[in-house]
Amino acid sequence: MNNIVDLLIIGGGPIGLYANQYALKKELKTRVIEKSAELGGKLKSVYPENPIENLGGVKTWQAGKLIDNMISHTEKYKPDYRLNESVQKIQQKDLVFTVTTDKGKHKSHAVLITTGRGIYLPPSLANLSFEEKEKAGLLTNIKNESALLGKNVVVIGGSHETVGWAIGAANVAGNVLIINWRFIESFASLEGSQAVPPNMDILEPYGLLEVSGDQTVTGIKVYHVETGEEKEVAADVIIMARGYLTNLSDIEKFDVALEKNGIKVDDAMHTSKAGIFAAGDSVYYPGKKRLISTGTNEAARAIESIEKYIQAIWGKNG
């Protein structure tokens, strides 16, 4: 891992994949570090069947197939992907970045962060093991419905699987609320003829922003995906697909300036640290919209800026 690449991309979701393809076309030497076992982020691991409709001039794709196409289009460049590798810290010496992961060290002339939006967990919850998180009320499925008896349950997502979880939880829970980032036409379209329980409701289009609680879950904060409006919701249990839970500390460790739970960037997608750029749902700036089309535009702007940054310091292509 001692060879220096032009650009290290942290995060192998749709924006990281697009940025990598754009950079490779410019003949930059890149490497993508992804903490999961597969590329594609939540589009692949959480809602692969959801339609993606906000890419101008592109027909509607299922999220998972869109990711497959992005990966396929880049194969001719022989991309360098490092999966199951979690970044621990970023350091810089003599204008060279060293990115330390749980598997070793990578060196580069620039860094691009495309990790997606983090969910804030208070330290008392963030530091728990996976099993302890389940006991505290952070679930990735329903193993024991009796544990939900009389509780306020929030289910994140609108896939067939998550709506099924919600209906199952409603059998014993006090109240069940589905929170989904896009509009679901009807429960019937997802669950056939199965009746919607009277103690179940839906909040859309909202995304999960923050989990509150000390040792156990007490509530969440969500944001409207179009207006940015935030609201708080009481909750005893949160059920979500495992890939959805991304702790905000994953971007806090990069030691760049944050604003509104996102990485603060300028028009060139530069962070507060020279040579470190960011794009996609992980960033914040006034007027930010969390759409794939917005993220790909940010990624292209970031790569253009990174190319100029590298050329100014190291000459063409480092």
Side-chain angles (χ1 to χ4, degrees), residues 173-278:
N175 294 287
V176 176
L177 176 66
I178 297 178
I179 295 177
N180 194 44
W181 68 281
R182 61 184 294 273
F183 288 105
I184 302 174
E185 292 183 2
S186 69
F187 289 114
S189 67
L190 292 171
E191 292 300 317
S193 60
Q194 194 166 7
V196 178
N199 61 335
M200 188 168 76
D201 202 355
I202 187 167
L203 183 64
E204 55 186 2
Y206 279 82
L208 179 60
L209 181 63
E210 180 176 322
V211 176
S212 57
D214 184 9
Q215 301 300 322
T216 59
V217 171
T218 58
I220 60 172
K221 181 182 289 186
V222 297
Y223 67 97
H224 193 285
V225 299
E226 296 174 354
T227 67
E229 172 203 9
E230 298 179 4
K231 63 171 57 181
E232 295 182 355
V233 178
D236 303 309
V237 176
I238 303 170
I239 307 172
M240 67 189 84
R242 186 165 188 169
Y244 199 102
L245 187 58
T246 302
N247 192 357
L248 185 63
S249 64
D250 288 344
I251 61 176
E252 288 178 331
K253 71 178 66 171
F254 301 141
D255 197 26
V256 292
L258 303 181
E259 186 172 350
K260 294 187 180 295
N261 285 355
I263 299 173
K264 186 176 181 180
V265 294
D266 61 17
D267 291 341
M269 309 313 295
H270 219 143
T271 71
S272 59
K273 287 196 171 182
I276 301 181
F277 301 77

Side-chain angles (χ1 to χ4, degrees), residues 10-19 32-34 38-43 67 70 114-115:
I10 302 174
I15 308 309
L17 291 174
Y18 180 82
V32 178
I33 301 175
E34 167 56 43
E38 64 178 348
L39 298 167
K42 296 182 182 68
L43 295 192
I67 294 300
M70 296 179 79
T114 59
T115 53

Side-chain angles (χ1 to χ4, degrees):
M1 293 188 184
N2 290 327
N3 57 316
I4 301 176
V5 298
D6 294 315
L7 174 63
L8 274 173
I9 299 174
I10 302 174
I15 308 309
L17 291 174
Y18 180 82
N20 189 47
Q21 181 184 22
Y22 198 93
L24 289 170
K25 283 184 177 180
K26 287 181 168 291
E27 299 183 349
L28 294 175
K29 186 177 181 181
T30 67
R31 181 173 299 149
V32 178
I33 301 175
E34 167 56 43
K35 70 176 183 178
S36 301
E38 64 178 348
L39 298 167
K42 296 182 182 68
L43 295 192
K44 192 72 172 178
S45 64
V46 180
Y47 33 74
E49 296 181 356
N50 278 13
I52 302 298
E53 301 171 325
N54 60 38
L55 295 175
V58 179
K59 71 175 184 178
T60 299
W61 285 97
Q62 284 187 326
K65 290 183 178 180
L66 177 65
I67 294 300
D68 291 340
N69 285 341
M70 296 179 79
I71 294 172
S72 176
H73 288 169
T74 312
E75 286 179 353
K76 62 183 178 181
Y77 299 108
K78 298 181 180 180
D80 183 357
Y81 300 127
R82 306 298 173 96
L83 305 181
N84 280 319
E85 196 159 347
S86 181
V87 173
Q88 298 174 339
K89 61 182 177 180
I90 302 175
Q91 298 169 298
Q92 187 183 32
K93 182 179 180 181
D94 298 330
L95 298 176
V96 174
F97 288 98
T98 298
V99 176
T100 302
T101 73
D102 56 353
K103 292 186 177 180
K105 298 180 184 294
H106 304 268
K107 294 183 181 294
S108 68
H109 295 138
V111 174
L112 174 61
I113 302 169
T114 59
T115 53
R117 187 179 180 93
I119 299 169
Y120 177 76
L121 291 176
S124 59
L125 294 175
N127 296 329
L128 298 178
S129 67
F130 180 73
E131 291 74 17
E132 290 171 333
K133 283 185 173 71
E134 287 190 327
K135 293 179 181 178
L138 290 169
L139 308 182
T140 57
N141 56 44
I142 300 177
K143 297 178 180 178
N144 181 11
E145 287 188 358
S146 63
L148 309 178
L149 184 63
K151 294 185 176 181
N152 291 321
V153 177
V154 172
V155 178
I156 308 297
S159 68
H160 289 276
E161 181 181 35
T162 51
V163 173
W165 290 343
I167 291 175
N171 292 329
V172 294
N175 294 287
V176 176
L177 176 66
I178 297 178
I179 295 177
N180 194 44
W181 68 281
R182 61 184 294 273
F183 288 105
I184 302 174
E185 292 183 2
S186 69
F187 289 114
S189 67
L190 292 171
E191 292 300 317
S193 60
Q194 194 166 7
V196 178
N199 61 335
M200 188 168 76
D201 202 355
I202 187 167
L203 183 64
E204 55 186 2
Y206 279 82
L208 179 60
L209 181 63
E210 180 176 322
V211 176
S212 57
D214 184 9
Q215 301 300 322
T216 59
V217 171
T218 58
I220 60 172
K221 181 182 289 186
V222 297
Y223 67 97
H224 193 285
V225 299
E226 296 174 354
T227 67
E229 172 203 9
E230 298 179 4
K231 63 171 57 181
E232 295 182 355
V233 178
D236 303 309
V237 176
I238 303 170
I239 307 172
M240 67 189 84
R242 186 165 188 169
Y244 199 102
L245 187 58
T246 302
N247 192 357
L248 185 63
S249 64
D250 288 344
I251 61 176
E252 288 178 331
K253 71 178 66 171
F254 301 141
D255 197 26
V256 292
L258 303 181
E259 186 172 350
K260 294 187 180 295
N261 285 355
I263 299 173
K264 186 176 181 180
V265 294
D266 61 17
D267 291 341
M269 309 313 295
H270 219 143
T271 71
S272 59
K273 287 196 171 182
I276 301 181
F277 301 77
D281 283 357
S282 62
V283 308
Y284 172 80
Y285 51 83
K288 164 72 177 178
K289 297 291 184 182
R290 289 183 168 82
L291 301 171
I292 295 177
S293 54
T294 304
T296 54
N297 175 271
E298 293 167 354
R301 286 156 55 194
I303 297 303
E304 294 288 343
S305 300
I306 289 166
E307 183 182 38
K308 293 176 182 177
Y309 170 83
I310 292 174
Q311 288 177 344
I313 296 177
W314 300 98
K316 185 176 181 180
N317 291 350

